[in-house]
Each structure stands twice: as structure tokens, then as C-alpha cells.
């Protein structure tokens, strides 16, 4: 999830259901102040959606549902799963292409070997028993199936803290910890990528004191008015302003010249043998 809250619809799009209440726990569409965080999530859906083409997909922890609906453009079937009553009702009303179900991510309500892809974007950091969840993903995936995970990089999201900056997060991960969690459940890592600011966002960082992220968080923490230039810049961000790169170690200059520990979010593609 975002540092506090996030959201998504295209400007002028007519909603099929009333928006979900903004709590800070999940993405909620249509708020200019949340556009940066939404686009940072959206880029992962858009870049990995093709991995779901013509496949049976489970989005475990689908929240507001915009991502499951995006995947439904290419997938054979999309099952959405969430524990929260309001999220389940909202997705059923707004995104009829999604087969929305209610359940606990620690005990996925699906038969063994019943789906081809499990999507889990910006959710695992909210879970108390992450190992149990990943083991459940292994159980419900068919052989050769994919587990797609994105999560905030602990090193950059909550730097120097023993507890996450987001009160809704239980345990954030760095790249090594995410890799260990996934491989311990029997998966093989196909790729580990990082989400980074692209050139335009780097310019906006410089414009707002070195970090457009810190500028937004400062307003949220202080409950202070947004300067118009900051609000306009945040509202202008698109998914194309982010880069997703297969990054290496700090000493590895051969892979895109970026260190995975410097990424904003981690993106893991794992295969069930």
C-alpha cells in the first residue's frame, strides 16, 4: 500500500459503485492527493498483466479491485479474494468481471492446483503469517504456475526504523528477505525487480526539496494544506513515470546500473516447479 493511502480511476470515468471510504489501508480511486501512490502501484499491474494472459488468476488481497479488473482484460478468469466485507461488496458492485470471494489469505479458499497465477501486489507487508500465505500460494498453483508479488522495499520505505512507518504494515521486507520467504515455500525465483523513479519523477524530486514522497508524507503527518504546485505535480504523475528494472547488487554495474536495495518497491516473479 501507499505510505498512507492510494487510489485509481481515469479522469471522467463514471463509477459503477460508490467509492470505498478512505482509511489509509488500501487504494481508493479518484483522489488527486493519492495519484502518486496509485500510479506507483498501477505500473506493476500494467507491466506484469501479460503474464496473466489466457490464464486462471487469483488476486489474493485485491482491495478496491481496480487491479483485478485490469488483469481481467487479458486473463481467462480472475478470482478476487479479500477478507474485508466492504471490499468484497465494493468489488462485486463495481467490477462484475471479477469472481469476487471472501476469505483469509492464510487459508486460501481454493482447491489445490486450481490456478495458473497468484497476484499479490502491495499486500504481503500487511500479513501476520507471511510464510503460511506463500505456502498456500504454492498449494493452489498448478505446476509451472507463477506467484507475482510486489511490496515496499523496507530499506527505502521505512529507513532506519524498527517498525514500519505505515501503521497498517506488520512486516516489511528487503530483497534478501523476500527472496528467502518465497524460496523457503518451494518456489524458484525467475526475476527480482525494483520500482524506481523515472527521469520526470527525478525532476519532481528536485523540485520538491529532494523527494516528492517526503513532501507528500509531511503534509499527511501534519494534516497541513497542500501547496498548489505540489498538488498539481502529484496529480500529473502517470504509470509511465516509473521504471521497473532488474537490479543488481551495489557492486554489480552490469544490470541497469541500479542496486535493488535502492528501489522503492520490490517485484518478485516466482515459479512453482
Amino acid at each position: 500500500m501507499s505510505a498512507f493511502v492510494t487510489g485509481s480511476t481515469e479522469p471522467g470515468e463514471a463509477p459503477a459503485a460508490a467509492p470505498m471510504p478512505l482509511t489509509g489501508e488500501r487504494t481508493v480511486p479518484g483522489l488527486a492527493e493519492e495519484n502518486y501512490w496509485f500510479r506507483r502501484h498501477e505500473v506493476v499491474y500494467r507491466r506484469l498483466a501479460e503474464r496473466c494472459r489466457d490464464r486462471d488468476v487469483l488476486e489474493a488481497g485485491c482491495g478496491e479491485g481496480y487491479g483485478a479488473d485490469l488483469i481481467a482484460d487479458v486473463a481467462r478468469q480472475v478470482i478476487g479474494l479479500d477478507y474485508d466485507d466492504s471490499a468484497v461488496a465494493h468489488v462485486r458492485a463495481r467490477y462484475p468481471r471479477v469472481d469476487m470471494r471472501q476469505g483469509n489469505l492464510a487459508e486460501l479458499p481454493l482447491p489445490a492446483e486450481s490456478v495458473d497465477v497468484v497476484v499479490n501486489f502491495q499486500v504481503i507487508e500487511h500479513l501476520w503469517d507471511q510464510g503460511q500465505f506463500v505456502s498456500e500460494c504454492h498449494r493452489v498453483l498448478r505446476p509451472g504456475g507463477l506467484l507475482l508479488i510486489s511490496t515496499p522495499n523496507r530499506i527505502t520505505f521505512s529507513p532506519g526504523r524498527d517498525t514500519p512507518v505505515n501503521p497498517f504494515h506488520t512486516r516489511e521486507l528487503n530483497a534478501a528477505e523476500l527472496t528467502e520467504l518465497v524460496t523457503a515455500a518451494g518456489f524458484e525465483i525467475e526475476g527480482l525487480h525494483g520500482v524506481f523513479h523515472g527521469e520526470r519523477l527525478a525532476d519532481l524530486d528536485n523540485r520538491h526539496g529532494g523527494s516528492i514522497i517526503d513532501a507528500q508524507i509531511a503534509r499527511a503527518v501534519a494534516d497541513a494544506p497542500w501547496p498548489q504546485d505540489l498538488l498539481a505535480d502529484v496529480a500529473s504523475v502517470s504509470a509511465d513515470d516509473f521504471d521497473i528494472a532488474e537490479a543488481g547488487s551495489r557492486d554489480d554495474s552490469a544490470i541497469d546500473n541500479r542496486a535493488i536495495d535502492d528501489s522503492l518497491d520490490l517485484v518478485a516473479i516466482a515459479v512453482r516447479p
Side-chain angles (χ1 to χ4, degrees), residues 214-227:
D214 289 347
Q216 294 174 81
I217 292 175
R219 269 67 190 180
V221 170
D223 195 22
W226 282 62

Side-chain angles (χ1 to χ4, degrees), residues 171-184:
R171 180 196 176 206
E172 294 170 355
L173 303 163
N174 63 27
E177 291 162 345
L178 178 58
T179 299
E180 181 180 5
L181 178 70
V182 170
T183 56

Side-chain angles (χ1 to χ4, degrees), residues 126-145:
H126 294 254
L127 304 182
W128 288 103
D129 195 338
Q130 296 172 342
Q132 171 67 17
F133 165 69
V134 178
S135 294
E136 278 288 280
C137 293
H138 190 281
R139 180 184 66 80
V140 303
L141 279 167
R142 296 168 182 143

Side-chain angles (χ1 to χ4, degrees), residues 35-36 39-40 43 47 195-202 204 233-244 264:
N35 183 60
Y36 167 88
R39 301 302 177 187
R40 183 165 146 180
V43 65
R47 299 288 177 87
V195 177
F196 298 86
H197 280 180
E199 182 176 353
R200 181 171 177 272
L201 274 168
L204 292 182
D233 285 342
V234 167
S236 74
V237 173
S238 76
D240 291 336
D241 292 323
F242 295 90
D243 294 337
I244 297 181
L264 300 168

Side-chain angles (χ1 to χ4, degrees), residues 82-131:
D82 206 279
Y83 187 75
D84 182 72
D85 292 340
S86 62
V88 172
H90 176 83
V91 174
R92 286 174 176 166
R94 184 162 186 163
Y95 304 112
R97 297 190 297 176
V98 177
D99 177 4
M100 189 63 198
R101 306 181 188 180
Q102 186 167 21
N104 191 332
L105 270 61
E107 297 180 1
L108 297 176
L110 275 74
E113 299 186 1
S114 58
V115 294
D116 302 302
V117 183
V118 175
V119 172
N120 185 250
F121 292 162
Q122 303 294 323
V123 173
I124 199 165
E125 65 276 4
H126 294 254
L127 304 182
W128 288 103
D129 195 338
Q130 296 172 342

Side-chain angles (χ1 to χ4, degrees), residues 180-264:
E180 181 180 5
L181 178 70
V182 170
T183 56
F187 286 94
E188 297 175 355
I189 295 289
E190 178 183 306
L192 185 63
H193 306 259
V195 177
F196 298 86
H197 280 180
E199 182 176 353
R200 181 171 177 272
L201 274 168
D203 290 341
L204 292 182
D205 281 330
N206 292 331
R207 182 175 176 180
H208 295 284
S211 173
I212 195 171
I213 299 171
D214 289 347
Q216 294 174 81
I217 292 175
R219 269 67 190 180
V221 170
D223 195 22
W226 282 62
Q228 286 303 306
D229 61 338
L230 175 61
L231 183 58
D233 285 342
V234 167
S236 74
V237 173
S238 76
D240 291 336
D241 292 323
F242 295 90
D243 294 337
I244 297 181
E246 186 172 9
S249 69
R250 293 187 186 279
D251 299 324
D252 183 359
S253 60
I255 306 179
D256 197 50
N257 201 31
R258 304 196 200 190
I260 194 69
D261 287 347
D262 294 333
S263 65
L264 300 168

